[in-house]
């Protein structure tokens, strides 16, 4: 009787093994994977989360693989032909040293700015986003109006690795905030203008081009359990700049509100904020460099550029101060004539 029970259990276990999913093909000797490199993408809100939150913020990843001569070897996209999941890709590469550069939520590039396989080098690679496009992800904010050329929230990842033989290895790639989110509230101390219903906010002279190499790498704490390293992309302050324009409605408190999503800024950036009624500038443009410098944000090394500011317009001056929310840690107040 006991022999029958043991045989039944044995058959049941063998049946379960046949049903278990696997990413490798099994032969009569040893497991053999169909790839030798697996790239796994992480986003931890710049080390403020222990879990991987990549799917909460990134809906598409474009990965560029450069060979040991720093020449673009291949371009991939996730999801799409991803191997094991939406944010894990698999590939088979020859032995050698490689660099992967990944962009999250990268959309249409300006003409002639797409890196070319077999031609573009890592140091030469650049991206410049086209001005305005429709979001491809349902539920995400769409920026479709010609007067509203915000970009999608962009993220960046960088990692080097080596391939030796056919043994599969997993490479963890940390994605880092690669855009500026600037929420602006404009108020008048007194004598707010008549609601002409054509107000708009403009942000001029924002850097428009990214390089593929890191501009800054944040050292990981020795006590951190997160498996990622954060790299900030190189922001090129050279001749290419971009201007942004948002419609702004006046609310019942006679305030204007707008949210810019643009390329990152650096310590050398001088973004100019203007408040307009139609094409009429209501006050002199504000160089936000003074504000960021006074607040000591260190934009060239700031891992997440999310700022909320209040612009108070007086008859003889303009003051910029942080707009404090309960979930915003920067806090504090500062005023200054700009």
């Amino acid at each position: 009787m006991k022999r029958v029970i043991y045989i039944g259990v044995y058959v049941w276990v063998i049946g379960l093994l046949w049903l278990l999913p696997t990413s490798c093909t099994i032969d009569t000797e040893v497991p053999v994977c169909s790839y030798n490199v697996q790239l796994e993408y992480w986003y931890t809100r710049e080390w403020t989360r222990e879990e991987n939150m990549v799917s909460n913020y990134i809906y598409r990843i474009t990965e560029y693989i450069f060979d040991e001569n720093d020449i673009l070897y291949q371009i991939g996209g996730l999801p799409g032909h991803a191997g094991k999941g939406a944010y894990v890709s698999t590939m088979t590469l020859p032995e050698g040293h490689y660099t992967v550069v990944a962009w999250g939520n990268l959309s249409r590039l300006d003409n002639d700015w797409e890196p070319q396989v077999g031609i573009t080098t890592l140091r030469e690679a650049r991206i410049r986003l086209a001005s305005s496009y429709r979001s491809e992800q349902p539920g995400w904010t769409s920026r479709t109006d010609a007067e509203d050329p915000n970009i999608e929230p962009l993220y960046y990842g960088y990692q080097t690795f080596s391939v030796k033989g056919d043994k599969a290895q997993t490479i963890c790639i940390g994605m880092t905030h690669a855009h500026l989110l600037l929420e602006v509230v404009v108020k008048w101390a007194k004598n707010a203008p008549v609601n002409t219903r054509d107000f708009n906010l403009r942000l001029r002279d924002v850097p428009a081009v990214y390089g593929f190499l890191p501009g800054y790498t944040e050292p990981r704490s020795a006590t951190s359990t997160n498996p990622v390293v954060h790299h900030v992309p190189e922001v090129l302050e050279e001749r290419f700049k971009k201007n942004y324009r948002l419609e702004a409605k006046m609310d019942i408190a006679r305030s204007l509100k707008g949210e810019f999503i643009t390329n990152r800024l650096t310590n050398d950036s001088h973004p100019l904020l203007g408040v307009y009624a139609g094409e009429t500038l209501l006050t002199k443009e504000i160089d936000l460099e003074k504000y960021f410098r006074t607040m000591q944000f260190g934009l060239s090394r700031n891992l997440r550029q999310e700022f909320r500011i209040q612009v108070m317009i007086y008859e003889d001056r303009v003051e910029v101060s942080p707009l404090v929310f309960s979930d915003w840690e920067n806090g504090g107040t500062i005023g200054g004539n700009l």
Side-chain angles (χ1 to χ4, degrees), residues 121-136:
T121 68
L122 179 59
R123 187 164 296 279
E124 294 170 343
R126 303 280 188 273
I127 61 168
R128 186 174 71 175
L129 301 177
S131 294
S132 183
Y133 52 83
R134 184 181 301 275
S135 170
E136 299 178 8

Side-chain angles (χ1 to χ4, degrees), residues 130-147:
S131 294
S132 183
Y133 52 83
R134 184 181 301 275
S135 170
E136 299 178 8
Q137 178 74 0
W140 285 63
T141 304
S142 294
R143 308 289 182 176
T144 60
D145 190 273
E147 299 294 327

